[in-house]
Amino acid sequence: MVRLGVIGYGYWGPNLVRNFSEAPGAQVTMVSDMRPDRLMLALRRYPSLKTTSDYRELLRDPDIDAVVIATPVSTHYDLAMKALQAGKHVLVEKPMTATTEQALRLVEEAAVRGLRLMVDHTFTYTSAVRKIKELVAAGSIGEIYYYDSVRVNLGIFQHDVNVLWDLAVHDLSIMDYILPFTPYAVSATGMSHLPGKPENIAYLTLFFEESLIAHIHVNWLAPVKIRRTLIGGNRKMIVYDDLEPSEKVKTYDKGVTFDAGAEVKHQMLVGYRAGDMWAPHLDVTEALLTEATHFVRCVEGAETPQTSGESGLRVVRILEAATRSIGDRGRPVELNLSEKDKKRRAVA
Amino acid sequence: MVRLGVIGYGYWGPNLVRNFSEAPGAQVTMVSDMRPDRLMLALRRYPSLKTTSDYRELLRDPDIDAVVIATPVSTHYDLAMKALQAGKHVLVEKPMTATTEQALRLVEEAAVRGLRLMVDHTFTYTSAVRKIKELVAAGSIGEIYYYDSVRVNLGIFQHDVNVLWDLAVHDLSIMDYILPFTPYAVSATGMSHLPGKPENIAYLTLFFEESLIAHIHVNWLAPVKIRRTLIGGNRKMIVYDDLEPSEKVKTYDKGVTFDAGAEVKHQMLVGYRAGDMWAPHLDVTEALLTEATHFVRCVEGAETPQTSGESGLRVVRILEAATRSIGDRGRPVELNLSEKDKKRRAVA
Amino acid sequence: MVRLGVIGYGYWGPNLVRNFSEAPGAQVTMVSDMRPDRLMLALRRYPSLKTTSDYRELLRDPDIDAVVIATPVSTHYDLAMKALQAGKHVLVEKPMTATTEQALRLVEEAAVRGLRLMVDHTFTYTSAVRKIKELVAAGSIGEIYYYDSVRVNLGIFQHDVNVLWDLAVHDLSIMDYILPFTPYAVSATGMSHLPGKPENIAYLTLFFEESLIAHIHVNWLAPVKIRRTLIGGNRKMIVYDDLEPSEKVKTYDKGVTFDAGAEVKHQMLVGYRAGDMWAPHLDVTEALLTEATHFVRCVEGAETPQTSGESGLRVVRILEAATRSIGDRGRPVELNLSEKDKKRRAVA
Amino acid sequence: MVRLGVIGYGYWGPNLVRNFSEAPGAQVTMVSDMRPDRLMLALRRYPSLKTTSDYRELLRDPDIDAVVIATPVSTHYDLAMKALQAGKHVLVEKPMTATTEQALRLVEEAAVRGLRLMVDHTFTYTSAVRKIKELVAAGSIGEIYYYDSVRVNLGIFQHDVNVLWDLAVHDLSIMDYILPFTPYAVSATGMSHLPGKPENIAYLTLFFEESLIAHIHVNWLAPVKIRRTLIGGNRKMIVYDDLEPSEKVKTYDKGVTFDAGAEVKHQMLVGYRAGDMWAPHLDVTEALLTEATHFVRCVEGAETPQTSGESGLRVVRILEAATRSIGDRGRPVELNLSEKDKKRRAVA
């Protein structure tokens, strides 16, 4: 039985507690939050829970094996580091940290201590994203040409981070899970419409060694909600629309065929291929339950984190570089991959 | 009666001939094309037409008042310049020229000779775009925050120009018509999936002095066709979907309200406003007929070109700068506005 | 404070208990259900609740003012009658009873005893349906020509009632609320694909004295979910799509104009009118909370039931007649309106 | 070479002439129409055409092998009969005739004379409908449970026939082509909103010996255009949406599974099955060209009419019975199948 403590019972914390309560082999024993009313709420739902307004009490509890952190991003590093130092396995909300440097330190600390560090990239546990990963891995898409995502709506303006850290983090974590490549540079543009505040609209391009380009468009100020990703390959193309009630993932047997030999007078023959469309059936299991169950298995040593600290680090590194690029109106920023990171990818 | 000669009877030429034939006060008298079968086709449809395989014959014809050029972009400058030098008014396909330098020279030549130079920015003559212009000009949108357009499909790969010159030219000409501002810099990224060929996917950001940002996303290799523009303002927002059969333009009474005075502990109060949606009825007149009629009236001196050589120049300048930016992975490129251009805008 | 007892804690009961718990001036004091596990579930959520497996205990409790019945339709009459006889006000699930005769008796019993009898026609408390009612009442639609509803999906097959009693009951209760007319006859067709079981697909036409026709199409065996109602009038038309996330109600300024005087050679001039589309903003309050609050106010004597026993009776009368018509392959069945009912309508 | 004469050059005639001009082995030699301006229009497009204002001239021409009739329905019988009597093969617009009696006579006349009689059920020549036929014939759908079609829009009010004859004729001809069954009775309801004029809204149910039910909903007065057919079977279900730009036909691997043996206490176990969705690629050939080519081959004796006079008769018989049923507010009307017709079906 893995016993868990949850720090933060605000917007997302209740979902984590509920799903860990249902995950086999897990037990949430303590919740901490600085707001008494949130602890009251937790207690009403789970009368046998221990609660505290001081997270240090939770870290000191020798009965707790793992800590789940669901607090604002600015506090992630400090809390996660202290949890690791207290010998706890850690699952932390996304984005993992506020800086690349912090992410690196957490990854190292967890490695040194032999503890599990996992980041809550929830979307990678949905059946839609897992199906896409499966299709990509099986070669159905062929060589991947582009990854293009739009994630816009009339959303809550964050005050400490720009819209990339709030919305693009979803796309970056999905891409990190799906694509077998790591980008080497980023160019981003954006705008704030609230003087002195972070950007509420942003566009981000990722460059890869391969002939692959990725682009993410996020916006807190859109009249309609859009959640749509296009993935193009030389064999098939995917449209992933998360707002579709049932057919979220559609694959199109469409593309172009290049006939290099047939080039005549600077005119290359490009043939068009249009075939069937197919939308695979998707399970309806709740992503967070899948993730909670997986984390428990990781703590038990039976599985390896799918959304490890390293993936959290890769995502934060892009967010940090993109924010820098926005300040320079799109000037590309190199991602300075570590040798280890390059090697890891080469092996995979 | 304005007598017209049309150079080029390929894909678009027949549409131009058909609409000028219906425009009041106009008469198409001659068509030139280097391909005999195209001339045959023209003759079968319009038995009284004169045809020639040598455009110079058309330019020499003293009965022709104005020339319409519907040939590949690489030939625009040469043909338009010769037509102006032959004393003809000119309507030229978009993009107006292959370079900014060429566009400048045409504008100057037409000014010196007192001839009309107009560019076929067809979309600006649709009832949808005209309605949006009307709403923007009336202040319905309020302060404009962003202009965001997606124009993707499985399209024909051009061999001489990248996807920006083929698809983004539509959005840039619409923006030039709708927005009362001129961008000062551009950042663009893109990728070619055909070795040695122009980019088939591209993303373009435009920067303005005002707190306005514009972004265009174009792609020749998408599994689905999308033609959708979001325009956000502080009073209203617009969704323009050109594929909608009837409600192409939707206005949303949605937005955020910033209460700067109420800022507490780095938390600014942002209120959300959600109101009615309204889709104005749109006329169904064919845009090209509206444009042809307008050009005839311009030649007659009764109207001033809505899509003048200057607008063609502004669009080409952005396309050229964006293509340069793509080569530098998004590095911003200044648009070097002429003093005249700045003045023109200031006045308007 | 109105104290309520709820009979039945199956699928819908928990929603009723939750909303009555939140309704001002109300308190759910007891829940009865024959299944111990359902009572356990209720207790876990509401520790201070009294529970019983015998509904008679609930009816005997002098502290209970009103009873909410959320059991299978075959038990409605018996439970509601006993509750009325025990002096309790009653809110009963839809359809109100299994027969018209039963519905009539309940209405009479409540009238004789001066108790409130209300039926849970939930949809009439949604902001979408209330907005439509408002538009119709204000004359925006003009003379109403037709009411056409489709309600299909892959749904649970009921074993005791056909699909009309399960799905069309929603449309009938919405129509009863929206339309100022009462139908005088019904024709219905349908089919069962499970030998010996009730119809799983059905079509129902209602006839009115006015030149109004209504049609409802319901199906438990459809590959896609559709919830769409068209309401046509001589001034405007409405499309109500309950699956739309935000614009559920759209009004179209469209129609035809008949010019009787202009009839020439048996050709009547029919003009077409196409104007704006407008989707009013809708509140997001939960319908059931609005209804619960309303029922409490009715029990207190402050309001009159919007979905009274009489409306429940009118709906059941149509369902009964339609079921008879299905057996005769569409032969029309008269609805035998009582004089009282006709009078009521005439007055309204 | 099959030489054709076309009677009627109004709305549909030009499409017929254009497609027969392109069909291999065919030549349109004469067109008749009572309106001189229509003949002028025809001549301008096809200068070598013979034209006449008297169709009898066309029927007398010994060089004409086959006659295509594209006139109002009230004239179909007379023209087709005279054409057959003049020894011409006939292709006639839908609906084939104004009465069942007329249809029967044409079928008999053609049979006696050994001439081809074909009706222009255009939709059955679209790639969408042919794909559905293919799926049904291959057993992909399994046992067919229902056929449900909605065909509504703001359409032209016909003055001589009701909306069934104008719109439902499409669905009936598609059904006649797709389904291997013939209905034995019909129930229909409808309403006219123009005093003394035919119904502009109608609903039609067809009954079959098999456990199949069909329903068609047509309306000339709808605010939105809908063209959607649901076909449910015990193995798969189809959604055919003719307004979809590319995926017009979608098949759903969805359904219910009945486990009769597992019935417990009047509760039958019904299992739900939800699988993949698949939209086959469809060709883009013009239906009318396919049909014209087919008719030419039929006249040559190489093929047998897919939409024979018999299919035209079956469709008219339903339209006639449905119109009678509307007058009786849905009372079912038997279709009085001929023994020959029953036999034909039994064999097929």
Side-chain angles (χ1 to χ4, degrees), chain D residues 179-211:
Chain D
L179 299 181
F181 309 115
T182 303
Y184 71 87
V186 59
S187 161
T189 57
M191 182 65 66
S192 163
H193 294 104
L194 202 53
K197 292 294 167 183
E199 290 80 11
N200 48 274
I201 181 167
Y203 303 93
L204 184 162
T205 300
L206 288 168
F207 301 97
F208 296 78
E209 299 291 353
E210 300 73 17
S211 80

Side-chain angles (χ1 to χ4, degrees), chain C residues 32-343:
Chain C
S32 88
D33 199 295
M34 290 182 299
R35 296 157 296 183
D37 60 313
R38 300 305 299 177
L39 295 179
M40 288 276 282
L41 182 65
L43 264 181
R44 216 179 319 149
R45 288 184 190 154
Y46 308 94
S48 62
L49 208 59
K50 283 187 280 181
T51 59
T52 174
S53 61
D54 184 353
Y55 71 91
R56 289 171 299 187
E57 192 180 337
L58 189 151
L59 296 185
R60 277 194 302 264
D61 190 330
D63 282 350
I64 288 178
D65 306 302
V67 168
V68 180
I69 299 169
T71 57
V73 62
S74 58
T75 66
H76 285 184
Y77 171 71
D78 201 43
L79 292 170
M81 182 56 85
K82 283 179 179 154
L84 290 169
Q85 288 167 346
K88 314 295 191 196
H89 302 280
V90 168
L91 171 65
V92 64
E93 255 322 280
K94 80 193 145 317
M96 186 163 81
T97 54
T99 70
T100 305
E101 180 60 30
Q102 292 174 347
L104 269 167
R105 287 200 197 157
L106 288 186
V107 167
E108 285 166 12
E109 188 74 23
V112 164
R113 293 181 177 270
L115 292 168
R116 301 292 182 166
L117 171 63
M118 192 165 119
V119 59
D120 176 18
H121 290 167
T122 323
F123 266 103
T124 69
Y125 297 92
T126 61
S127 51
V129 171
R130 296 172 92 84
K131 174 61 74 176
I132 296 171
K133 162 90 168 175
E134 193 184 307
L135 292 169
V136 168
S140 305
I141 311 309
E143 187 187 341
I144 302 170
Y145 285 163
Y146 61 83
Y147 184 101
D148 179 287
S149 189
V150 177
R151 190 176 294 271
V152 307
N153 58 279
L154 195 62
I156 294 169
F157 275 58
Q158 305 287 337
H159 298 284
D160 44 352
V161 293
N162 67 31
V163 66
L164 289 172
W165 293 76
D166 181 47
L167 293 182
V169 65
H170 293 297
D171 300 293
L172 292 172
S173 62
I174 293 171
M175 280 178 56
D176 186 79
Y177 174 62
I178 287 176
L179 299 181
F181 310 115
T182 304
Y184 71 87
V186 59
S187 161
T189 58
M191 182 64 66
S192 162
H193 294 106
L194 202 56
K197 291 296 167 182
E199 290 79 10
N200 48 274
I201 182 168
Y203 303 94
L204 183 163
T205 300
L206 288 169
F207 301 97
F208 296 77
E209 299 290 353
E210 300 72 17
S211 82
L212 160 66
I213 188 168
H215 187 270
I216 298 169
H217 163 204
V218 285
N219 185 349
W220 279 329
L221 203 60
V224 287
K225 188 174 184 178
I226 305 175
R227 297 276 182 272
R228 195 184 46 218
T229 304
L230 308 182
I231 306 173
N234 70 336
R235 296 190 55 189
K236 283 218 174 103
M237 305 198 203
I238 290 175
V239 176
Y240 161 39
D241 187 337
D242 199 50
L243 302 184
E244 277 279 333
S246 46
E247 285 97 39
K248 288 182 193 298
V249 177
K250 290 181 182 147
T251 68
Y252 291 81
D253 190 11
K254 283 186 177 177
V256 292
T257 51
F258 305 116
D259 187 353
E263 195 164 348
V264 184
K265 283 188 187 171
H266 305 295
Q267 288 266 344
M268 181 162 298
L269 276 186
V270 181
Y272 294 87
R273 193 167 44 75
D276 296 2
M277 184 265 267
W278 167 72
H281 176 65
L282 300 174
D283 292 332
V284 289
T285 36
E286 188 169 357
L288 209 45
L289 181 56
T290 303
E291 180 181 339
T293 306
H294 172 57
F295 180 63
V296 169
R297 301 276 293 152
C298 289
V299 168
E300 292 169 347
E303 296 180 4
T304 305
Q306 166 185 307
T307 50
S308 63
E310 279 84 0
S311 69
L313 162 63
R314 287 191 296 272
V315 167
V316 167
R317 184 191 286 132
I318 296 173
L319 290 171
E320 198 178 58
T323 300
R324 213 152 62 226
S325 181
I326 287 184
D328 281 352
R329 293 178 304 156
R331 190 181 55 77
V333 174
E334 305 292 321
L335 288 167
N336 297 321
L337 298 187
S338 67
E339 286 311 307
K340 199 169 114 198
D341 201 69
K342 282 182 187 163
K343 216 180 303 162

Side-chain angles (χ1 to χ4, degrees), chain A residues 146 148 155 194 203 221 258 272, chain B residues 146 148 155 194 203 221 258 272:
Chain A
Y146 61 83
D148 179 287
L194 203 55
Y203 303 95
L221 202 60
F258 306 116
Y272 293 86
Chain B
Y146 61 83
D148 178 289
L194 203 55
Y203 303 94
L221 202 61
F258 305 117
Y272 293 87

Side-chain angles (χ1 to χ4, degrees), chain A residues 145 233-234 237 254-258 270-273, chain B residues 154-155 157 194 220-221:
Chain A
Y145 284 163
N234 71 335
M237 305 197 205
K254 282 187 178 177
V256 292
T257 50
F258 306 116
V270 181
Y272 293 86
R273 193 168 43 75
Chain B
L154 196 60
F157 275 59
L194 203 55
W220 278 331
L221 202 61

Side-chain angles (χ1 to χ4, degrees), chain B residues 8 139 144 237 286 320:
Chain B
I144 303 170
M237 305 197 204
E286 188 169 357
E320 196 178 60

